[in-house]
Amino acid sequence: MGKTVVEKILARASGREAVSAGDVVEPAADLAMSHENAALVINQFLEIHHGTGITPRIWDPSKVAIIFDHRVPAESPKTATNQKKVREFVRKHGITKFHDIRGDLGGICHQVLPENGYVRPGAVVLGTDSHTTSHGALGAFAFGIGATEMASVWTLGVALNVEVPATIKVVVNGRLPDLVGPKDLILHLVGLLTAEGANFRVLEFHGDTIRTMSTSGRLVLCNMSVEAGATSGIVPADEETLRYLREEARVCDQLAPVAPDEGAEYERTVEVDVTALEPMIACPHTVDNVHPIGEVEGRPVHQVVIGSCTNGRLDDLAVAAGIVRGQRVADGVRMLVFPASARIYTQALLKGYLADFVQAGAVVMNPGCGPCLGVHQGALGDGEVALSTTNRNFQGRMGNPSAEVYLCSPAVAAASALTGAITDPRHVLAGGVR
Amino acid sequence: MSAVVLVLGDDVSTDVIYPGRYMATVLPSETPAFAFADLASFNARLRAGGVPPGSVVVAGKNFGCGSSREQAVSTLVGHGLVIVARGFARIFSQNAVNLGLKLVETPGIEAVEGDVLELDGGAVVNQTTARRFRTVPPSAARAAIVEAGGLIPYTRTRLLALRR
Ligand code: SF4
């Protein structure tokens, strides 16, 4: 019987001949990632050892990654103290994949991991962050876990009692229209599947559109798979994956891509044709409240946010910079740009995109999670409306439960910053609005 | 028997259960102060000790969607709350199993604030309306962790076995 990619990865990682959806396995972790919440993981890790007489030791410090991104630089003494404790732990336990608050190596975990070649096709990647699903873009099985589960992984090197998820095959065909991209596709899909439609399932992406999509675009799809409830999204590794890993992530060692078997058993298949896809918007306060832009165009916005692990990569910034270049952000609108990593920040600086943003009136922030989760920077005022390229619009997500967040692509965000209202970028470029 | 103290709709996210701005607080002993922080009156009742342990929050589908933050579970554990919902998001429900938060998946649940629920016996009975609702038991993989008292003791047992 044919197997899905995730069934094959989990069989290998669990030392089993074959596994099927519903089986319970103990896969070995190839990469175990945490961010600031490593502070809680450390607490739980010590708790596991408490009273055993066993000295706490990480099973394999070379497989642990810790990236500071959620509150960088620290917004409070409390965060700074947590970060300090984590730094001390990192040193003591010899964790090498550590990315501190730095202008050369820092960034959001879901960008830092792929661009440094930490994620490999066929790997099992666990992260104490729900958007760990992102790393499926490189053909890994990557999923989010809580801090206590991570403490267990640090102790034993395996994830306990993992149920092999069923897989939904998503087949995407057609050429994406100009100024319509991966973000519009995944918003469309989340709307179609609903916020819980893929709960306990994996989304395995196939089709021409995916095969010709860059790794950056695939990261968008897998990143937001969790917004349909999915355990993970995964794009089976192909030539583009190898290109990305060799050329961009500078990986030299051998790679072992995993493809699904002919006749793999999928729970169901969802087919999408993107030929006539419109820019899509997720309206407050759920990510599956998705509408074609025409239905919400003209709605006034107070803050436009471009960045995050979803859409803060170089191609996203290139599109947005191209739209605002030589233009002016509308009065009464704050446009915030936060590149996903220090590497991307430098590339965008060298290509002149950051100058385009700043000269148009945008504020360019340091790489990190910034305004995405509403703890740190870019909070919204009562009753204000944000339009953002991030991945969540839950009530209170940007720090104010009385504010509203709409989600969109970088092109829509940039066009809307110029007009001060939700705007179809195709109208701006055609001179229709301007 | 447990009283329903709060009724919520579908897709209650971890941002509602435990807002991101309190995420610098990580210790299970400290998180309970911020449970449902943006539902100000309910948070005030919790903080004032006006909600006895064992009280029930009733919700719709996909409770706990969103972030993997474990604070969203430890904050509820701290108040001894029980969640009866039509469905739960995966990471949240796994965290609940790991930390010993009682979740009762009840696809058809209907209740309003003040109703009294009977939770034991393989079904939820709303004693106020005299209606009975089917529940979905946790998988065997999860039940094993619950029986061990959570993932910390479960892992500790494995750790001790390794060193023997
Ligand atoms: S950018 Fe936002 S969604 Fe991504 S990891 Fe940071 S907080 Fe989470």
Side-chain angles (χ1 to χ4, degrees):
Chain A
M1 197 170 50
K3 296 294 178 191
T4 66
V5 179
V6 166
E7 287 169 336
K8 290 171 80 169
I9 292 175
L10 284 176
R12 193 268 310 153
S14 316
R16 305 254 295 254
E17 189 71 24
V19 302
S20 304
D23 290 350
V24 178
V25 294
E26 277 186 10
D30 296 301
L31 185 66
M33 183 279 292
S34 295
H35 44 72
E36 274 91 337
N37 61 16
L40 180 54
V41 181
I42 292 168
N43 187 74
Q44 304 300 79
F45 177 68
L46 298 178
E47 188 60 33
I48 288 168
H49 292 78
H50 186 81
T52 60
I54 297 170
T55 309
R57 221 172 47 85
I58 289 185
W59 102 101
D60 184 349
S62 74
K63 291 183 174 162
V64 171
I66 295 181
I67 287 95
F68 288 159
D69 56 5
H70 275 54
R71 301 142 173 271
V72 293
E75 91 298 353
S76 67
K78 193 162 200 168
T79 293
T81 306
N82 281 342
Q83 290 173 343
K84 175 170 171 248
K85 284 184 190 155
V86 173
R87 240 176 243 123
E88 286 162 6
F89 183 91
V90 160
R91 210 171 303 128
K92 182 170 169 201
H93 288 265
I95 293 168
T96 47
K97 295 183 169 86
F98 173 57
H99 291 252
D100 207 333
I101 303 165
R102 291 179 60 101
D104 53 354
L105 298 170
I108 303 172
C109 55
H110 305 309
Q111 179 58 26
V112 167
L113 259 48
E115 76 182 17
N116 285 281
Y118 297 164
V119 179
R120 306 297 170 83
V124 172
V125 178
L126 303 118
T128 48
D129 190 278
S130 55
H131 292 106
T132 301
T133 54
S134 306
H135 310 290
L138 295 160
F141 177 44
F143 60 105
I145 61 176
T148 304
E149 194 166 350
M150 183 57 80
S152 179
V153 171
W154 281 7
T155 305
L156 303 172
V158 296
L160 297 174
N161 297 28
V162 172
E163 291 163 61
V164 179
T167 296
I168 298 172
K169 184 176 187 180
V170 179
V171 183
V172 187
N173 285 309
R175 190 174 163 277
L176 283 160
D178 281 351
L179 296 167
V180 176
K183 181 62 163 289
D184 302 297
L185 168 58
I186 191 65
L187 287 176
H188 173 64
L189 259 170
V190 172
L192 210 68
L193 291 165
T194 79
E196 57 153 17
N199 213 350
F200 293 95
R201 309 287 186 273
V202 169
L203 301 180
E204 193 184 286
F205 291 97
H206 292 271
D208 307 342
T209 318
I210 308 297
R211 294 277 74 93
T212 54
M213 189 180 282
S214 67
T215 297
S216 178
R218 296 171 179 186
L219 281 161
V220 177
L221 303 183
C222 292
N223 176 273
M224 287 194 69
S225 295
V226 69
E227 306 311 331
T231 301
S232 197
I234 191 164
V235 178
D238 61 6
E239 273 172 37
E240 159 59 15
T241 317
L242 301 186
R243 183 206 64 77
Y244 176 87
L245 286 168
R246 299 287 184 221
E247 291 175 17
E248 298 192 38
R250 307 263 168 231
V251 171
C252 302
D253 37 327
Q254 209 167 351
L255 298 169
V258 180
D261 290 337
E262 286 282 326
E265 275 197 50
Y266 297 99
E267 189 183 77
R268 62 188 168 115
T269 299
V270 175
E271 293 191 39
V272 179
D273 187 323
V274 297
T275 314
L277 189 69
E278 302 270 316
M280 303 299 279
I281 308 284
C283 298
H285 293 290
T286 56
V287 186
D288 62 356
N289 186 13
V290 175
H291 299 269
I293 193 162
E295 295 178 18
V296 286
E297 219 178 345
R299 203 156 293 182
V301 298
H302 305 98
Q303 181 162 296
V304 170
V305 176
I306 296 183
S308 84
C309 58
T310 313
N311 282 124
R313 277 177 290 278
L314 196 63
D315 54 345
D316 301 315
L317 301 183
V319 168
I323 292 172
V324 304
R325 185 173 300 135
Q327 305 296 322
R328 191 172 178 281
V329 172
D331 288 333
V333 175
R334 312 176 294 272
M335 180 179 184
L336 311 180
V337 179
F338 63 116
S341 73
R343 187 181 297 184
I344 290 167
Y345 187 101
T346 306
Q347 289 167 339
L349 187 71
L350 295 174
K351 288 194 175 280
Y353 303 154
L354 301 188
D356 294 332
F357 289 125
V358 173
Q359 283 166 356
V363 175
V364 176
M365 304 161 80
N366 62 297
C369 297
C372 175
L373 78 166
V375 296
H376 188 192
Q377 297 162 308
L380 298 168
D382 291 347
E384 283 193 328
V385 174
L387 179 67
S388 175
T389 70
T390 54
N391 48 38
R392 286 194 174 135
N393 60 353
F394 302 147
Q395 190 159 18
R397 174 72 181 180
M398 282 191 175
N400 189 334
S402 91
E404 292 187 325
V405 181
Y406 289 76
L407 305 177
C408 68
S409 71
V412 171
S416 306
L418 300 180
T419 62
I422 295 178
T423 299
D424 189 328
R426 298 171 298 189
H427 299 167
V428 169
L429 289 191
V433 168
R434 213 178 278 153
Chain B
M1 275 194 312
S2 318
V4 176
V5 289
L6 181 67
V7 176
L8 300 165
D10 293 339
D11 302 310
V12 173
S13 77
T14 53
D15 281 290
V16 170
I17 303 167
Y18 192 92
R21 61 186 182 279
Y22 302 112
M23 266 162 67
T25 300
V26 295
L27 296 180
S29 56
E30 296 175 5
T31 56
F34 308 114
F36 295 108
D38 288 335
L39 306 178
S41 66
F42 186 67
N43 176 264
R45 265 174 81 192
L46 287 171
R47 292 170 82 125
V51 177
S55 297
V56 176
V57 174
V58 168
K61 296 182 298 181
N62 207 24
F63 185 88
C65 61
S67 135
S68 66
R69 70 189 67 156
E70 212 162 85
Q71 290 98 323
V73 169
S74 67
T75 194
L76 303 176
V77 171
H79 293 289
L81 292 169
V82 176
I83 315 297
V84 175
R86 294 187 172 196
F88 294 96
R90 181 189 65 85
I91 303 177
F92 177 86
S93 56
Q94 185 68 53
N95 287 343
V97 165
N98 294 347
L99 293 187
L101 171 68
K102 184 164 176 178
L103 306 183
V104 188
E105 186 178 340
T106 315
I109 185 67
E110 281 180 25
V112 297
E113 216 177 298
D115 284 2
V116 173
L117 306 185
E118 173 77 54
L119 300 176
D120 302 315
V124 170
V125 178
N126 185 332
Q127 302 205 323
T128 313
T129 60
R131 289 187 61 192
R132 186 186 172 86
F133 302 95
R134 179 182 69 84
T135 57
V136 180
S139 66
R142 288 180 162 196
I145 296 172
V146 172
E147 269 161 40
L151 188 61
I152 286 184
Y154 194 77
T155 301
R156 192 182 285 144
T157 306
R158 289 286 299 266
L159 173 66
L160 287 166
L162 272 182
R163 299 295 160 97
R164 212 162 273 147

